Amino acid sequence: MTIASPAPPAANPASWLNNQPYLLLSLSSLFWAGNIVLARHVGAHVPPLTMTTIRWFGVFLILLPFAWPHLKRDWPALRRSLPLMLFLSLVGFAFNNAISYWAMQYTEALNALLIQSAGPLFVALWSLVLFGVRLTGGQLAGIAISLLGVLIIILRGDLAALAGISFNRGDLMFAYSLIAFGLYSAFIPRRPKVHQLSFLSFTTCCGAMMLLPTAIWEAMSGRVLHFDALTLATLGYILIFPSTLAYLFFNRGVALIGPNRAAPFFHLVPVFGSAMAIVLLGEKLQPFHLIGYALVLAGVVIASRQGSAAK
């Protein structure tokens, strides 16, 4: 009589996801695309500095029960790297998010999505200037191909329309936020070797504390947050998806494949944004959408392939 061997234990879905950098980075882009569309929709309703402060305090409180054991264990490493941790809190959480929400009061979602497509270039520039990390030929080609796809989608297949796009102070503000996030991305591989939850809970708490004086100033200026249905729904989405999950996924993805290979996934943000407009706003799917999606996907695949950047 043969005794059947026991079935292997089922894989933990969270552990599996934690080692899928391309899926993690794609989901981050999806959540951030929703954040841009939503920020434009509520721009005149929600005070941007107050919203950003609540965003990061809320994420910290959500994470704290899970992060506390890791924070206690990782505190010596966090304290040794305190200047770097405060810097990452500033550029990756406080400044970057406050200025981007503020910018959406003055610009269109279309312009923000177009500017977002320059994200990989800022990551590559900071990585080169600060650490001497150069793009490989494949990474450069992939970024160029996916950028072309983004332009085709946003300009609706008419690249000549690029000359007719005008930029205002909101566009410049959004570009500043992207420059800051590129700096954050370049430094992520240099962060202390601590647990993801320790890192994110520490930086969100510090980022919120940095923003608190600006939220107080905003309230004293007459911009007060009203907790109506739109505000609560906005907070619910922002706290869970583009904040808690997107940053956990992005940080892990960068840790697995590096900033230059991860950067082309920024190009998925305008792709997802346009797809949301088709699904949620009833826009018609056009041939240029399909061409643009194909180019972006091809560029991301090429740029994120294994290969070490030259130094």
Side-chain angles (χ1 to χ4, degrees):
M1 179 177 179
T2 303
I3 301 176
S5 58
N12 184 335
S15 298
W16 175 84
L17 180 62
N18 197 46
N19 291 290
Q20 305 299 318
Y22 306 127
L23 179 57
L24 292 170
L25 292 166
S26 297
L27 289 172
S28 297
S29 297
L30 173 63
F31 299 152
W32 283 330
N35 190 44
I36 291 176
V37 174
L38 182 61
R40 177 57 185 166
H41 179 64
V42 302
H45 183 77
V46 179
L49 301 178
T50 304
M51 174 62 74
T52 313
T53 305
I54 293 176
R55 174 184 184 179
W56 295 129
F57 268 131
V59 172
F60 170 69
L61 293 176
I62 290 171
L63 292 177
L64 186 58
F66 309 99
W68 183 246
H70 305 291
L71 276 170
K72 290 194 296 184
R73 184 196 64 205
D74 293 334
W75 177 245
L78 292 170
R79 186 173 55 192
R80 286 194 299 270
S81 301
L82 188 59
L84 175 60
M85 293 298 296
L86 292 176
F87 176 73
L88 292 174
S89 301
L90 174 65
V91 297
F93 296 85
F95 177 82
N96 163 51
N97 286 271
I99 202 72
S100 63
Y101 279 141
W102 201 351
M104 294 311 297
Q105 297 189 0
Y106 304 104
T107 189
E108 300 292 332
L110 180 67
N111 283 33
L113 290 169
L114 177 60
I115 296 167
Q116 180 78 41
S117 65
L121 303 180
F122 290 123
V123 176
L125 177 62
W126 284 122
S127 297
L128 174 62
V129 171
L130 296 173
F131 307 114
V133 179
R134 298 194 300 273
L135 290 171
T136 65
Q139 290 168 350
L140 184 60
I143 289 174
I145 293 170
S146 57
L147 180 58
L148 176 61
V150 168
L151 292 176
I152 288 175
I153 293 168
I154 293 178
L155 301 176
R156 308 181 69 82
D158 181 12
L159 295 181
L162 185 62
I165 291 181
S166 60
F167 295 95
N168 57 29
R169 63 172 175 169
D171 302 321
L172 293 176
M173 292 166 66
F174 197 86
Y176 295 150
S177 75
L178 205 59
I179 292 171
F181 197 76
L183 189 58
Y184 169 84
S185 302
F187 270 97
I188 280 292
R190 272 78 182 175
R191 72 177 193 176
K193 304 301 181 183
V194 297
H195 194 275
Q196 271 253 68
L197 293 176
S198 298
F199 176 81
L200 192 57
S201 58
F202 184 93
T203 47
T204 53
C205 181
C206 291
M209 293 299 294
M210 293 173 182
L211 287 165
L212 185 58
T214 69
I216 295 173
W217 167 82
E218 188 175 56
M220 293 176 63
S221 301
R223 296 294 310 278
V224 180
L225 190 69
H226 299 286
F227 287 94
D228 53 19
L230 178 58
T231 299
L232 293 175
T234 300
L235 280 172
Y237 176 82
I238 288 175
L239 287 176
I240 295 172
F241 294 101
S243 304
T244 305
L245 293 180
Y247 272 81
L248 282 171
F249 291 176
F250 179 79
N251 290 343
R252 177 60 178 168
V254 172
L256 289 173
I257 65 173
N260 278 342
R261 289 175 62 201
F265 284 83
F266 281 124
H267 285 151
L268 292 179
V269 173
V271 169
F272 287 134
S274 66
M276 287 177 184
I278 293 169
V279 174
L280 301 177
L281 303 180
E283 294 190 4
K284 185 179 179 181
L285 183 66
Q286 301 283 356
F288 66 80
H289 286 116
L290 300 177
I291 295 172
Y293 295 159
L295 286 171
V296 171
L297 182 59
V300 168
V301 170
I302 292 171
S304 59
R305 290 175 61 187
Q306 180 66 43
S308 58
K311 294 192 71 173

